[in-house]
Amino acid sequence: MDQKKRIVVVGATSSIAEHCCRLWVQKGPVELILVARNVALAERIATDLRARGGAVDVSVETMDFLSVPAIAEAVARWTTQAPVDIALIAHGVLSPQLPCQEDLARAHEALEVNGVSPVLFAEAFAGAMERAGNGTIALIGSVAGDRGRRANYVYGASKALMDRYAQGLQHRFAATGVKVVLIKPGPTDTPMTAQYKAQGRKLASVESVAEGTVNAIERGTPVAYLPRKWQLIMFVVRNLPNFIFNRLNI
Amino acid sequence: MRPVSSWGRLSAEPHQVVDLSDIAALVDQTRGMGPAIPLGMGRSYGDACLNPGGSLLNTARLDRFHSFDPETGRLVCEAGVQLRDIQRFMLPRGWSLPVIPGTQIVSVGGAIANDVHGKNHHRVGSFGHHVRNLKLVRTDGQAIDCGPGVNPDLFAATVGGIGLTGLIATAELQLQPVAGPWLDTEILPYRSLDEFLTLADDSESLWEHTVSWLDCTAGRRTRGIFLRANPAVDQAGKPPVPSRRAVPVTPPLSLFNRLTLPVFNTLYYHLNAHRGGTKRRPFDTFLFPLDDVQDWNRLYGPRGFYQYQLVVPRDAGPAALRDILDIIAKSGQGSFLAVIKTFGERASPGLLSFPMPGITLSLDFPNRGARTERLFVELDAVVRAAGGRLYLAKDARMPRDLFDAGYPKAPELARFRDPGMSSGMSRRLMGH
């Protein structure tokens, strides 16, 4: 019998995170701590996971994702109960660009929810995992963090913060048993992107992105573009000279 | 509004798609909607899941399990859960869905609304036989429980009711215990319709799954491949992970035409006739061979294709099938691998359920416009004369009189219809 894996999912109502959990309960015995703002939805997700899996232990918690003391307290509590094998940090909101430009408060919120808060969670886990000498921190970033574009640069900047942070954390843990995984999904078919779908854009399925995420976490892949084609696309986008890039409407 | 096609890809008309994702908000989201029709995985071939100009209630994200009792095998889940998902999670726990159609990529709601059948119909009946309860959300804001013991009339109207009685929100299914994913399978070539019928009769009492492929380009010189399977007694070994292939582009023309079809069919026949014999296979590669080829419906080209599935009573069946095969051979519009199977005696649970005791044949035809329609008119006449019917889940064009003749209980549905529900199919076959 395998040892039960202990996984904390921050932002557990995110579609990608939910589908990752479905894969985990299918793989074997697992203890899941789902952390969410929308507790009613998280409870329904927990019920689903309990029904799917045989040997699963699922609990739901809620907290203020923007409160520094709350983050420190919660992560300390989870990691002292027992070692955490995986921390998946998945919360975020798709903040449309225009409201962020027109209202500083919206921009502030977008930066905090999508950038600052995930980084603080990761930093809190990093200390505990370093002491334990083991664990994987997985962050869900975005291809939008690779280059600022007029269409979504506030959101992109928050994801870029996560990108550079993960890079540093990987450097810090290079010679240890702690792994840091940054997932960069392209546009994915989730409730968050319903407006894109209505415009007829082709989106990756959330199942395939979750599968890629779970695999990347298992292997400790430092940066995983999902689906893989985005690695090539973003390589091109990052390396376009400004005089071309600035003329493009992308 | 966005263009939506069903699996046959015959049309892509604009629809208002309402993505349902929160079971708690369902009553509010559907109240006063209309005309609307539920959409699951869109695997119906024709217009049962389409509603041009109106709304589609997309259930793909109503995909959560609510409870599972590992003692009794009762599963309660939302309507958008795919059958494949149930199998994936429940097989390792020793339980299986009793009935799965030719693909696992269908939703629970769709499986009920079309009262689908599988290759074990002779043993277990249709999907609706295994539904213990379901919650129906109506566009007037009501949520009604129904099942064989509660509101049985509404239940009979909903099973096979192609979405017209309301939105199936959740369902309680009775799973069956299984030892594992392996089947012991046997492949037998046959060279006449009589030989097929003898094989079918002999197999039904001893084999759990039976199905057969038929080369319909051969006319009266019918030949085919009979497949039968039982769960393996010894379930050792993990099943191989199927390789996923996809059809990456839609070819400009259907790949199945007068020139290629006899070649494909002859190849398929001889390949399998030579393979013959018995073999242990994972259940999914045996039962759902096409599920590993993503978007195979594109092979029929940009104009799409029709599926024509008929059932004829056992007595009139053989003669009718001979006529049908003759007509198809003469038309030169054969199908790549017709599928033929006998249904068991168990009476279907729904007012509009398709299965009845007899023989069912299903055929694909690339859409060639008027030529294909002329062929269907000839086939319809044989089905009508034999007292048979066509499968609504696959139909896109049957005339109203054939529907009335084939589904004598259809008028009873009117009492149970949700006035807010309507589809392309219901307007075509029932006038509203």
Side-chain angles (χ1 to χ4, degrees):
Chain A
M1 189 82 177
D2 295 342
Q3 181 96 55
K4 237 183 202 182
K5 261 209 177 114
R6 196 147 183 272
I7 302 173
V8 178
V9 183
V10 182
T13 59
S14 119
S15 248
I16 295 175
E18 180 180 3
H19 281 84
C20 287
C21 292
R22 291 183 183 180
L23 293 167
W24 281 321
V25 301
Q26 193 191 349
K27 276 173 189 256
V30 64
E31 181 192 346
L32 288 164
I33 299 167
L34 308 184
V35 191
R37 285 162 291 190
N38 181 345
V39 181
L41 179 54
E43 286 291 357
R44 285 200 288 282
I45 292 171
T47 304
D48 167 76
L49 295 170
R50 287 182 199 116
R52 279 171 199 260
V56 294
D57 188 353
V58 191
S59 56
V60 172
E61 292 198 24
T62 189
M63 58 180 287
D64 180 353
F65 281 26
L66 299 181
S67 152
V68 176
I71 294 172
E73 181 276 324
V75 175
R77 184 159 45 79
W78 298 321
T79 49
T80 45
Q81 283 160 355
V84 170
D85 297 292
I86 298 169
L88 173 61
I89 298 162
H91 58 291
V93 287
L94 186 63
S95 321
Q97 177 63 23
L98 221 52
C100 288
Q101 275 169 223
E102 287 164 353
D103 180 355
L104 275 189
R106 293 290 294 271
H108 180 239
E109 188 199 353
L111 291 169
E112 283 217 307
V113 175
N114 294 315
V116 176
S117 167
V119 161
L120 293 179
F121 270 104
E123 192 56 30
F125 277 109
M129 286 187 180
E130 186 174 41
R131 285 189 291 281
N134 190 34
T136 302
I137 298 170
L139 292 148
I140 303 208
S142 167
V143 294
D146 275 21
R147 188 163 190 176
R149 293 182 297 120
R150 68 171 78 112
N152 64 357
Y153 61 83
V154 174
Y155 176 77
S158 68
K159 294 291 187 180
L161 164 63
M162 199 188 277
D163 196 334
R164 211 41 45 93
Y165 169 80
Q167 200 177 53
L169 205 57
Q170 283 160 355
H171 195 207
R172 169 176 161 193
F173 289 136
T176 72
V178 180
K179 286 178 281 190
V180 179
V181 172
L182 178 63
I183 306 294
K184 291 190 184 182
T188 306
D189 188 359
T190 66
M192 194 158 122
T193 54
Q195 76 231 42
Y196 295 142
K197 198 168 172 178
Q199 293 159 13
R201 276 177 61 178
K202 196 153 166 56
L203 304 170
S205 79
V206 66
E207 289 84 1
S208 66
V209 171
E211 203 175 320
T213 302
V214 167
N215 288 340
I217 290 172
E218 202 164 295
R219 296 196 194 111
T221 313
V223 179
Y225 285 87
L226 296 173
R228 288 275 296 277
K229 68 174 181 190
W230 284 97
Q231 183 154 15
L232 180 66
I233 298 172
M234 294 321 292
F235 176 81
V236 174
V237 170
R238 274 196 316 270
N239 289 292
L240 278 175
N242 272 332
F243 73 90
I244 297 176
F245 181 76
N246 287 341
R247 286 181 197 183
L248 296 179
N249 193 16
I250 56 173
Chain B
M1 298 289 256
R2 70 172 194 245
V4 180
S5 301
S6 66
W7 192 243
R9 306 178 77 242
L10 290 160
S11 66
E13 304 211 43
H15 290 74
Q16 179 75 42
V17 183
V18 183
D19 291 312
L20 308 171
S21 60
D22 188 351
I23 195 92
L26 217 49
V27 170
D28 291 332
Q29 257 183 307
T30 53
R31 185 182 286 126
M33 281 302 298
I37 197 76
L39 170 71
M41 296 309 294
R43 286 289 177 129
S44 295
Y45 287 74
D47 52 0
C49 63
L50 298 179
N51 188 20
S55 298
L56 295 176
L57 304 174
N58 181 14
T59 62
R61 287 219 188 86
L62 290 176
D63 66 346
R64 297 198 176 105
F65 291 23
H66 285 195
S67 66
F68 177 65
D69 182 341
E71 301 297 315
T72 59
R74 291 281 178 97
L75 171 71
V76 180
C77 66
E78 296 174 5
V81 169
Q82 288 181 41
L83 304 192
R84 184 168 61 174
D85 230 24
I86 296 179
Q87 293 301 87
R88 196 176 283 165
F89 285 91
M90 293 305 156
L91 273 178
R93 304 178 70 181
W95 294 92
S96 167
L97 281 164
V99 173
I100 311 179
T103 169
Q104 300 188 84
I105 308 170
V106 285
S107 67
V108 166
I112 297 170
N114 292 285
D115 194 20
V116 298
H117 55 271
K119 296 173 175 63
N120 56 354
H121 182 272
H122 57 282
R123 281 277 173 90
V124 300
S126 59
F127 199 91
H129 283 121
H130 308 275
V131 179
R132 292 287 157 261
N133 197 1
L134 57 85
K135 190 176 284 299
L136 202 60
V137 170
R138 313 252 296 182
T139 52
D140 62 2
Q142 289 188 80
I144 311 172
D145 282 312
C146 60
V150 200
N151 292 317
D153 293 349
L154 179 60
F155 181 69
T158 301
V159 171
I162 48 174
L164 298 173
T165 62
L167 179 84
I168 298 171
T170 60
E172 180 177 358
L173 309 175
Q174 176 65 56
L175 307 190
Q176 70 177 20
V178 285
W182 293 100
L183 294 177
D184 279 332
T185 67
E186 189 169 15
I187 295 181
L188 301 157
Y190 62 88
R191 304 218 57 125
S192 74
L193 202 58
D194 289 330
E195 216 183 305
F196 160 77
L197 290 168
T198 312
L199 271 172
D201 289 342
D202 292 351
S203 302
E204 287 194 352
S205 59
L206 294 172
W207 295 82
E208 182 144 332
H209 303 283
T210 65
V211 70
S212 161
W213 306 104
L214 187 105
D215 177 358
C216 65
T217 55
R220 258 172 207 266
R221 291 170 291 108
T222 310
R223 61 180 176 185
I225 302 289
F226 195 91
L227 302 150
R228 55 192 187 184
N230 271 328
V233 180
D234 158 30
Q235 290 278 347
K238 265 201 160 177
V241 179
S243 62
R244 298 260 155 73
R245 289 153 293 173
V247 177
V249 290
T250 307
L253 288 170
S254 166
L255 294 184
F256 303 114
N257 56 47
R258 193 185 271 269
L259 290 174
T260 60
L261 265 175
V263 180
F264 283 138
N265 280 315
T266 304
L267 253 172
Y268 184 87
Y269 175 81
H270 285 289
L271 223 65
N272 282 286
H274 281 287
R275 263 200 322 195
T278 58
K279 197 180 169 196
R280 180 156 302 175
R281 292 170 213 271
F283 83 102
D284 43 359
T285 55
F286 176 77
L287 295 177
F288 323 109
L290 286 173
D291 275 3
D292 295 329
V293 187
Q294 217 181 55
D295 300 331
W296 63 263
N297 54 341
R298 289 180 169 187
L299 294 175
Y300 284 92
R303 297 182 69 187
F305 71 111
Y306 291 95
Q307 181 141 129
Y308 191 92
Q309 181 163 2
L310 59 97
V311 57
V312 280
R314 187 57 204 266
D315 292 342
L321 288 174
R322 277 189 193 95
D323 289 346
I324 282 168
L325 293 172
D326 264 352
I327 294 170
I328 294 168
K330 267 190 213 127
S331 79
Q333 298 187 63
S335 154
F336 176 51
L337 297 175
V339 179
I340 185 167
K341 156 147 188 71
T342 45
F343 280 140
E345 297 292 323
R346 194 162 176 191
S348 286
L351 294 179
L352 297 186
S353 289
F354 171 67
M356 65 176 179
I359 311 165
T360 179
L361 174 70
S362 88
L363 306 141
D364 294 339
F365 295 98
N367 175 20
R368 296 207 179 89
R371 267 182 65 200
T372 312
E373 180 52 36
R374 278 199 299 277
L375 168 66
F376 288 148
V377 170
E378 284 188 67
L379 299 180
D380 289 350
V382 180
V383 173
R384 193 185 291 109
R389 59 168 78 121
L390 301 184
Y391 191 7
L392 297 176
K394 300 194 171 173
D395 181 58
R397 39 72 45 200
M398 91 165 97
R400 213 164 147 172
D401 65 311
L402 182 58
F403 171 72
D404 291 338
Y407 290 92
K409 290 183 185 164
E412 293 172 44
L413 182 74
R415 263 195 313 137
F416 302 101
R417 273 188 70 162
D418 180 333
M421 293 294 184
S422 176
S423 64
M425 174 170 274
S426 82
R427 292 191 286 275
R428 176 165 60 84
L429 295 176
M430 302 168 206
H432 63 104

